[in-house]
Each structure stands twice: as structure tokens, then as C-alpha cells.
Amino acid sequence: MVQKNLIDGEWIAGSEAFRNINPSDTNDVVGEYARASADDARAAIAAAKAAFPTWSRSGILERHAILRKTADEILARKDELGKLLSREEGKTLAEGIGETVRAGQIFDFFAGECLRLAGEVLPSARPNIGVEITREPVGVVGIITPWNFPIAIPAWKIAPALCYGNTVVFKPAELVPGSSWAIVDILNRAGLPKGVLNLVMGKGSVVGQAMLDSPDIHAITFTGSTGTGKRVALASVEHNRKYQLEMGGKNPFVVLDDADLAVAVEAAVNSAFFSTGQRCTASSRLIVTEGIHDRFVAAMGERMKGLVVDDALKAGTQIGPVVDESQLNQDTDYIAIGRQEGAKLAFGGELLKRDTPGFYLQPALFTEATNAMRISREEIFGPVASVIRVKDYDEALTVANDTPFGLSSGIATTSLKHATHFKRNAEAGMVMVNLPTAGVDFHVPFGGRKGSSHGSREQGRYAAEFYTTVKTAYTLA
Ligand code: NDP
């Protein structure tokens, strides 16, 4: 059965369909999905526009109930949805279930936020006048998501959009439509009025582009590559629309001489290789001071030997496959580039054969890398990391900040002085002390600076900044 797009409350088949393939076993077709056309996207935008006046004035209890019901169903079905996610994206079952739980928690959080909408009442600077400051929804929000977090990223964009009274046109990455279809189905059954949430699965160059080109989309929230992010920005400036971008990272993880070695190695392995390194918050630059360098590299090699790379759904798998062939080629190309640049491939990097045909890659660790190499400057988005040797903390901080990106930044140290200094001076939106650079909470702001992000933060109460517009009203008493 082909899973359809949701436009104006109707499930629409469209003229084409595409297959969702399991990267752990390319013979396994996860499902077939209707491919939306540019006209479908325009119909979805028109439906969202028509639904906006009523939904934007809907009662907070109605919105609360829908988001709450959605959270409950996602959490009740976490094993099944987590398995679907792992099957289509390739992260391990534990990671797939964990991400699904997070999506449930996000809907739960924003269900609560519906009941906490508030404004401010202030005296005017002039006598006998009152001032009210309120937040109103922005209008039709376009949501464009990448493949690497197929349920959490859609959740952290859809939940606040609906909570604050916006209507939505949602385009997930074509590579992973299954999880997105499932949450749209859940929201639809939870009672959303027609047109409030529209799903258009299909190609970014067609469906996404039609969204960028529409004057009727008032805000676009995008997560994905830097290149596509720039297109979103340029098109949004053209239409004078609000936009928010979360793009790549080249996140540093600093290891100082005084670090607890076991803590540093665990955090580095998690940052660099878990979720197959396919996280925008992954660390691919391990910046290590010379006193601990050799011990750290040796311990990393030992730890990496034990990593189990296999089918995402198999019990015991710690690292699943790369998401598809083109990403696998990108990873192996960068491994070749690193060697040509003179870094030493100290561990891994070879393709692996498993029981089923899939995109299996042994996590790779380079040593003797410099921060000027392409492998240290460009986002690889796979299980590939480099160790960069530095003299001391000051050089480590300089190297950590010497990147066009600024999403997440980590440090392993037992020194309060260095931890405090690093938190203040790391040029990143998120800083981790003795923790992996990836792995964030659902109720606090997420986002970066420099080339990683543009616009206000996502998640937690800070999400209101993007999904609402502020009104200041004056009344003569
Ligand atoms: P892409 O930028 O290729 O795709 C992201 C989304 O944009 C997809 O839905 C894609 O559609 C769509 N898209 C592609 N072209 C257009 C267009 N012309 N107009 C509108 N939409 C378009 O990134 P990937 O999905 O390949 O994700 C990997 C990249 O995303 C990595 O580089 C990673 O760094 C970054 N990323 C950043 C995150 C962050 O929070 N900072 C989080 C996750 C990923 P289609 O389905 O056709 O691909």
C-alpha cells in the first residue's frame, strides 16, 4: 500500500510513488510513499492559508488536547515507531526508540506550553494609557527537515508551530518518509482540523522549491545542509519572510592533560561515532593536548576495536550502517582525502560485509591531523574523526574556535578553571563539559552560531521567538 500525502485533510495519492529502503538491508523495502508534485505543494499551502484564521483563534484547550494525545500515542508506540525509524535511517534500535521517546516528550512539552501562553501588561510612558504586549502566530509555516533525525526534528518544529496557532506545510527528507508519515497520521487522528497540518513528501528540488517560491508561506524553518540553507535564506529575503536555519557543524572536542581518560574516551567515541556520526552535533575534531595525546589515542583504538557495527535492528549492534550509498561514498572520499593530506589513518575506515547487503563502514580515526586539512574544516557527516595534537589549553581553544561552524563544542577536563573559561569562550551555541558534543535535552534551547545556524533558537520556551510575532497594543483608559 502506498502511504499518501495529507492535503487539506485528505490523503492524496499523487501520480508517482517512491520506495523507502532499509540501509541495513537494501533488499528490505520499508514502504512506498506518494511523491508530491509542485502543484500538490501549492494546494497544501493554499489549504494551510485557508485554515489559518480559524486555527489561529482556536482555544488553548483544543490545541493542548491534540498535542497531548499525540504525545501519548507516540510514547505508547515507542517500540514500533523506534523500529520503523531504525529500519529506515539505520541508527540502532536503542537510538531509534530513544529518538521516538524524545519526540513524545517534545509534544508533551508543547501541550503544556499551550496552557502557559502569556503576555505582559505595562504602564505607558504617557498618563492614562495602558500597554499590552502579546504574541500572535506568524501564519503559514513551512517545515523542511533532513534525514538524520526522522522523528525528533519534525517533532521539534511541528509541535511549537501548532502550539502557537500556526498552520503547517511539512516536507520531510525523501530518504526517510516513514517516521514523518506516522506522526502526521497520529496528529491527524488526534483531531487537527483539515488544512492545519499538510504533509508533502517528495523531492526538495520540486516540493521544497515550490515552498520557497510561495508568497503565502510566512515563515520557513529548515534543518539540513549549508547549501540548501542558503537557498532558503535567499528565497525568504525575496519574500520578506521569517526564516530559521540549522545547518552543519564541525564540532570540536577538546581533551586536556588533566582529563579523566575513561570519561574523555567515552565522550569522544559517543560524539564521533554513535548514530554513525550522522549528527549535526557530532564531533569530528578531537583536539588533544600533548601530555595525554598518546594515552588517549591508544585508549581510543582499544575502545574502537570493541565497537559492534551491524544491522541497526540486531541486538548488540552499537553502530548501524551509513544512511545510503551516496553518503557512504562521501565518507570514503573524505577518508581518501585525509590520507592524501598526510593524516595517518590509525584505525578503521574500511567497508564491512554483514549478513545482509547494507552500507557498513568501520568507524575511522585519523591521527597527526592539522586543523588546516579539509577533513578538519569540512563536514563529513559520517563515522570519521581526526585527532589534532596541541601544546596546551590556550592552543586547544584557538583551534576549537578556528572553524566556520559553531554548533556544539566539548571539553574533557577536571579543571574548574579551564571548564569555566571554555564555557565562556567557546564560539558555539552549545557547550558540553565532560559530556559528548551530541545528546541534548528537549526542553532547553538548541542551535548554534557562525555558519551553523541563523535565526532564533529551536526547542524549549525559546521556540516561541520564531513561531510567534509580537504585538504591542495601547489603550486610553
Ligand atoms: P539537504 O540540505 O540536502 O536536505 C535537507 C532538506 O532540504 C531535505 O528535505 C531536502 O529534500 C530539502 N531540499 C533539498 N533541496 C531543496 C530545495 N532546493 N529547496 C527546498 N528544500 C530542499 O540535507 P540532508 O538531508 O542531506 O542532511 C544532511 C545535512 O544536513 C548535513 O550536511 C548536516 O550537516 C545537516 N544537518 C544539520 C543539522 C543541524 O541541526 N544543524 C541537523 C541535521 C542535519 P530531499 O528530500 O530531496 O533531500
Side-chain angles (χ1 to χ4, degrees):
M1 191 182 74
V2 174
Q3 306 288 20
K4 298 171 183 158
N5 287 302
L6 184 67
I7 300 173
D8 203 14
E10 302 290 329
W11 292 105
I12 306 286
S15 55
E16 282 181 41
F18 63 99
R19 297 192 315 168
N20 184 2
I21 303 293
N22 176 353
S24 299
D25 177 2
T26 53
N27 291 324
D28 177 29
V29 179
V30 180
E32 284 198 75
Y33 295 82
R35 179 177 277 146
S37 63
D39 280 343
D40 291 330
R42 285 187 278 271
I45 296 164
K49 188 180 175 188
F52 179 71
T54 306
W55 179 250
S56 61
R57 288 179 170 73
S58 57
I60 56 171
L61 285 183
E62 181 184 358
R63 289 185 229 165
H64 167 79
I66 292 168
L67 297 183
R68 189 59 220 262
K69 223 170 155 186
T70 301
D72 288 347
E73 182 169 339
I74 290 173
L75 292 172
R77 291 172 58 196
K78 68 181 169 44
D79 293 340
E80 171 214 339
L81 293 172
K83 185 172 174 192
L84 168 67
L85 195 166
S86 296
R87 207 173 141 210
E88 69 175 347
E89 199 270 352
K91 61 183 67 170
T92 65
L93 191 54
E95 289 170 333
I97 293 171
E99 187 183 327
T100 304
V101 168
R102 182 164 163 205
Q105 290 166 330
I106 290 167
F107 276 102
D108 193 30
F109 177 86
F110 283 103
E113 286 301 285
C114 295
L115 306 181
R116 282 189 284 270
L117 296 174
E120 291 176 73
V121 178
L122 276 71
S124 164
R126 291 165 284 163
N128 301 324
I129 292 177
V131 182
E132 292 159 37
I133 304 169
T134 50
R135 286 188 178 273
E136 296 186 353
V138 178
V140 177
V141 174
I143 295 179
I144 301 178
T145 57
W147 49 261
N148 64 334
F149 282 92
I151 198 163
I153 294 179
W156 82 52
K157 293 180 188 296
I158 293 172
L162 298 176
C163 162
Y164 297 114
N166 302 281
T167 56
V168 172
V169 178
F170 168 37
K171 191 216 103 57
E174 204 180 40
L175 214 46
V176 290
S179 305
S180 296
W181 188 90
I183 56 169
V184 170
D185 171 52
I186 293 170
L187 276 155
N188 187 45
R189 284 188 289 98
L192 272 183
K194 73 183 183 104
V196 171
L197 171 66
N198 302 273
L199 172 70
V200 276
M201 300 174 289
K203 288 187 185 304
S205 55
V206 178
V207 173
Q209 194 61 46
M211 289 165 69
L212 302 194
D213 293 341
S214 172
D216 291 329
I217 291 199
H218 306 106
I220 291 199
T221 174
F222 168 84
T223 302
S225 64
T226 308
T228 312
K230 275 193 182 148
R231 297 176 85 104
V232 173
L234 290 172
S236 297
V237 168
E238 186 68 29
H239 292 291
N240 194 23
R241 89 164 59 99
K242 208 169 179 181
Y243 64 98
Q244 176 186 57
L245 312 174
E246 287 301 339
M247 302 174 288
K250 195 70 195 172
N251 308 296
F253 185 72
V254 169
V255 180
L256 296 186
D257 286 355
D258 63 26
D260 177 319
L261 187 62
V263 168
V265 168
E266 250 349 274
V269 165
N270 180 321
S271 303
F273 307 127
F274 283 11
S275 298
T276 322
Q278 297 173 154
R279 296 185 284 192
C280 45
T281 46
S283 176
S284 49
R285 293 189 298 140
L286 308 175
I287 300 165
V288 185
T289 49
E290 43 193 28
I292 198 171
H293 178 276
D294 293 354
R295 279 183 294 139
F296 175 77
V297 169
M300 283 293 285
E302 277 309 306
R303 179 71 175 83
M304 288 174 73
K305 264 187 228 160
L307 289 174
V308 181
V309 182
D310 209 329
D311 188 317
L313 297 181
K314 241 189 205 174
T317 296
Q318 291 171 312
I319 300 198
V322 172
V323 74
D324 72 352
E325 192 176 1
S326 105
Q327 184 63 49
L328 182 65
N329 290 339
Q330 178 166 314
D331 298 348
T332 52
D333 284 353
Y334 271 110
I335 291 170
I337 289 167
R339 288 174 128 156
Q340 284 155 19
E341 288 180 308
K344 180 179 154 208
L345 186 58
F347 190 86
E350 61 276 5
L351 299 181
L352 301 172
K353 285 227 173 307
R354 293 294 178 254
D355 294 345
T356 47
F359 307 111
Y360 297 106
L361 177 65
Q362 183 69 43
L365 185 70
F366 279 108
T367 54
E368 290 161 46
T370 71
N371 202 45
M373 292 175 176
R374 280 183 64 194
I375 52 166
S376 302
R377 304 212 72 78
E378 297 169 18
E379 185 173 55
I380 300 172
F381 221 55
V384 183
S386 311
V387 177
I388 301 170
R389 187 199 295 257
V390 291
K391 195 162 71 299
D392 55 17
Y393 169 74
D394 290 340
E395 189 184 353
L397 179 65
T398 304
V399 171
N401 286 338
D402 178 12
T403 169
F405 297 105
L407 188 57
S408 180
S409 199
I411 189 167
T413 180
T414 52
S415 151
L416 181 61
K417 180 178 143 199
H418 286 140
T420 306
H421 191 271
F422 191 77
K423 279 190 275 184
R424 283 208 190 119
N425 293 285
E427 292 170 4
M430 295 171 292
V431 183
M432 313 292 182
V433 179
N434 293 320
L435 287 168
T437 53
V440 296
D441 285 0
F442 65 90
H443 65 304
V444 292
F446 174 92
R449 52 176 82 167
K450 291 160 72 176
S452 289
S453 305
H454 179 91
S456 51
R457 289 287 183 267
E458 301 200 76
Q459 301 198 58
R461 304 196 79 173
Y462 283 66
E465 217 38 63
F466 182 73
Y467 294 97
T468 63
T469 179
V470 171
K471 181 175 277 176
T472 314
Y474 296 82
T475 311
L476 179 64

